[in-house]
Amino acid sequence: MIRFQLELSRLRRLILEMGADVEDNVRDAMKALERHDENLAAIVERRENETDEREVDIEEECLKLLALYQPVAADLRYIVGVLKINEDLERVGDLSQHIAERAMAITRGGEAPGDVDLARMASKVTNMLARSLEAFVDLKPEMAREVRAGDAEVDAIHRQHISILLEAIKARPESADVLLNVMHISRHLERIADHATNIAEDLIYMAEGEIVRHK
Amino acid sequence: MSGVKKEEAMTGVNGSSKTAVMRGSAEGNGMDAEAHVTAERFSVFYHNREAVRQVSLAIPARGVTAIIGPSGCGKSTFLRAINRMNDLVPGCRVSGRLVFDKEDIYGPRIDVVALRRRVGMVFQKPNPFPKTVFDNVAYGPRLCGLTGRAQLEEIVERSLKSAALFDEVKDRLGQNAIGLSGGQQQRLCIARALAVDPEILLMDEPTSALDPRATSRIEDLIAELRGKYTIIIVTHNMQQAARVSDRTAFLYEGNLIEFGPTKQLFTKPRESQTEDYITGRFG
C-alpha cells in the first residue's frame, strides 16, 4: 500500500497546484479590473485554459485510483473530496476569466460607480478561497467552518450591490452597459464565495465523514 | 465426537432433546427478539491459545453479516463455533456463551446434529460428494429420514432453484456432480445446505476459489437469500464484504474491534484500528 500512499500524495500535490493557480487567477482578474490591464486579462485567460487541462488530469487520476485501489474509509472520502474540489476550482477558474472579460468591457466603456465596492468584496472572497484551500492543506475542519460562516456576508454585499446598481441604471440608463458588467462581476465574486464554501464543506466531509451541506 | 470442552461444564454432545434447538419464542427483551445469534464474552481456545477473545455481539435475524480481519484473527474459528465445527479440533474449548434462539450452542441440552440442520455451512472450496447432482441435494433430507421420491424431487428442485442452479443442471440431475464447474459446484453446495431448510447459513470464504464471474453469481445469490436466511459470511475480500453484507464485524487478534452497519464501517469507521485495516495500513 506504500504505492497507494505515494499516489495520494501526488494527487494532493496536483490539486494544490491547481488551487494556487486558481487563487492567482482571481487576484489577477481583480487587478486587471482595477488597473484596466489588458495584458493581465490575457494572462488570466491563458491560466484558465491550463486550469481546464489540470481539471481533466486530476479527474482521470481520481478515477484511476478508485478503479485500481478501491479505497475505503478516509482514503475514499479523500478521493471523492478531491473530485469535488477539483470541479469547484475549475468553476472558480471560469469565473475569474469571466471577471477579466467584464473588466475589459468596462475598460472600454467607462468607470465603475464609486459606491459599489468590488475591491472590498473581492478581498473577502479571495480570503475565503485561500482559507478553504488552507483548511484542505492542513485538514482543518474548524477553519473550514469559519469559511462557511463567511458566505452569508458575501451574499449580503452582493444583494446590496444589486440594489445600488438597479438605482444607478434607472438614474443613468445610458451607462447601463457598464453598470450591468459591474453587476455581473459582483455576481461572479458571489459565486466564487459559494465554491469556496463548497470546498470547505468537502473538507469537513473528508476530515469527519459528515455531509454538512444544506445544514 | 466432541473434542470441545466448555470451561464451566462439559457439553453433552449427543443430548437427545431436540427441543433444545427448536426455534425460541420471540418474546423476552427486545434484543433477544431481534438477535438470532448472540455471543456473550465468548472465547474459543486451542489448547492455551485464545483464538477468539471474549467476543460479545448480537447478530440479527435475516440479512447478511460479514466478518472480516487478517489471517489468524479468529474469524473462521468464530464462524465454525456457530455450528460446532470446532468440536473436531483437538484441544479446543470454549468459554462464555454463544446463544442461538435463547439456547447456548455449547449448553448440555444441545443436539449437535439438529443444530447443524438448522445452521448450514458452505466452505471455501466447493466440496460436492462424488454422487449425482440429485443425490448431493437429497443427501440431507434423506439423512433426516425422508424417503418419498416425489417429496425428494420437490425438495431438490426447490433447493436448486433457490441456489440459482436449477436451469443449468435440470437435464443432468443424474450425472456426477464432480463434472460441474467450480462455480456450479459451489452453488450445488449451497443448494445442499438449503435442502434441509436451515435458518442460518454460514459461509467461510465461499468465493475464494472461484473466478470473478462465478464469484459475482454467488454474490447475487447471497443478495437473493438474505431476506429468508440469516447469512454470516467470512471473507478476506473486503470489497466483497462491502458489497454483500448489511453489517460487518472486524476481528483483530481474536478481539472484536468494531461491529456496525457495513456502509458506516467502510466509509466512516469508528475505530482507528478498523480504519488502518480496511485502508491497508496494517494487517
Side-chain angles (χ1 to χ4, degrees), chain A residues 129-142:
Chain A
L129 182 64
R131 285 172 72 77
S132 71
L133 289 168
E134 199 180 324
F136 170 72
V137 173
D138 300 328
L139 220 65
K140 278 189 191 156
E142 323 80 57

Side-chain angles (χ1 to χ4, degrees), chain A residues 95-173:
Chain A
L95 291 165
S96 63
Q97 193 195 342
H98 295 337
I99 291 174
E101 284 165 5
R102 299 281 173 191
M104 292 310 101
I106 291 171
T107 304
R108 288 190 296 272
E111 291 295 318
D115 46 0
V116 169
D117 196 349
L118 285 177
R120 183 175 74 101
M121 185 184 191
S123 144
K124 283 194 186 301
V125 169
T126 47
N127 186 262
M128 276 175 76
L129 182 64
R131 285 172 72 77
S132 71
L133 289 168
E134 199 180 324
F136 170 72
V137 173
D138 300 328
L139 220 65
K140 278 189 191 156
E142 323 80 57
M143 189 182 275
R145 287 195 172 85
E146 287 169 27
V147 172
R148 282 189 90 203
D151 192 38
E153 201 184 336
V154 173
D155 288 348
I157 295 174
H158 179 55
R159 277 196 301 273
Q160 201 183 358
H161 284 171
I162 289 176
S163 54
I164 293 170
L165 288 163
L166 281 177
E167 288 305 314
I169 289 170
K170 280 182 208 159
R172 294 187 282 135

